[in-house]
Amino acid sequence: MNNANFEKSLGEQINALKKEKQPERDLWTGIELAISKDTHESDLLKTNGGRKQFQWVAGVAFLGLVGWLTFSPQVELLTGDDLVASLSAQHEQQKHELLVTLQSQPALTENWQDQLAELDDAANAIKLALDNDPNNMALLKMLQSVHQQQISLIERVHSPKWTQI
């Protein structure tokens, strides 16, 4: 069948379709029920019983919130110099633990400690910049990146030879 015949056949089929689509069932009863339900619920809230129910629910929600705040652990947000100090302390602890864990494995390269020292210098330069602008997100991300590079360097240098390709 060529393209012109296909289009003619398709056009005839379209013209043969009913122009008006009717729903399979009567939808007005559902619409009427939904409208009357909304009106009934609105009337219920306007009555004294509805107010009492709302006040009871609000009271329970308030007590739940107070209980949750009372028993949940308090989270202290660090900013500025405290955040930098905390990040550095965490990193130093992680680096120390990793070095102790991997000390029995031989290093795969000779100058890895020089590279580690260079990354330390970069971290110190970022910390100096953070002294002037302690809440600078770009500098904080850079510091985290340098810390992660140090951890990655230590892991790569001490990884077993059989995992190297």
Side-chain angles (χ1 to χ4, degrees):
M1 180 180 275
N2 66 21
N3 204 14
N5 286 339
F6 177 74
E7 288 180 14
K8 183 179 178 184
S9 173
L10 182 60
E12 289 172 358
Q13 290 176 2
I14 290 173
N15 290 334
L17 290 174
K18 292 181 182 178
K19 302 292 182 202
E20 205 172 293
K21 176 77 173 146
Q22 296 294 325
E24 296 174 7
R25 58 187 172 87
D26 183 20
L27 300 175
W28 284 113
T29 55
I31 294 170
E32 183 180 348
L33 183 63
I35 291 172
S36 68
K37 181 181 175 192
D38 286 345
T39 305
H40 178 68
E41 287 178 358
S42 173
D43 290 340
L44 188 66
L45 283 177
K46 290 179 185 174
T47 64
N48 194 23
R51 280 190 218 121
K52 285 182 180 178
Q53 182 181 12
F54 176 76
Q55 289 172 346
W56 184 82
V57 170
V60 169
F62 177 75
L63 289 175
L65 177 64
V66 168
W68 181 74
L69 290 174
T70 302
F71 295 109
S72 67
Q74 298 298 317
V75 177
E76 186 178 323
L77 296 177
L78 297 176
T79 57
D81 295 332
D82 293 335
L83 179 60
V84 174
S86 176
L87 285 174
S88 297
Q90 274 183 325
H91 170 68
E92 287 302 320
Q93 180 181 3
Q94 184 181 11
K95 186 171 76 170
H96 177 74
E97 289 172 1
L98 188 60
L99 287 170
V100 168
T101 303
L102 297 174
Q103 71 184 357
S104 64
Q105 294 181 4
L108 300 177
T109 61
E110 297 295 322
N111 67 342
W112 71 274
Q113 291 177 332
D114 295 338
Q115 294 173 17
L116 197 62
E118 288 176 12
L119 289 170
D120 271 335
D121 292 343
N124 289 333
I126 294 169
K127 289 176 193 175
L128 282 175
L130 281 166
D131 283 343
N132 296 327
D133 190 5
N135 293 318
N136 186 325
M137 288 306 293
L139 290 174
L140 289 169
K141 287 179 181 180
M142 286 173 62
L143 181 61
Q144 284 182 312
S145 175
V146 169
H147 287 167
Q148 186 56 47
Q149 287 175 34
Q150 284 185 320
I151 298 300
S152 296
L153 173 67
I154 295 168
E155 289 173 340
R156 278 193 320 263
V157 164
H158 291 90
S159 64
K161 289 185 180 183
W162 57 270
T163 61
Q164 297 292 318
I165 295 178

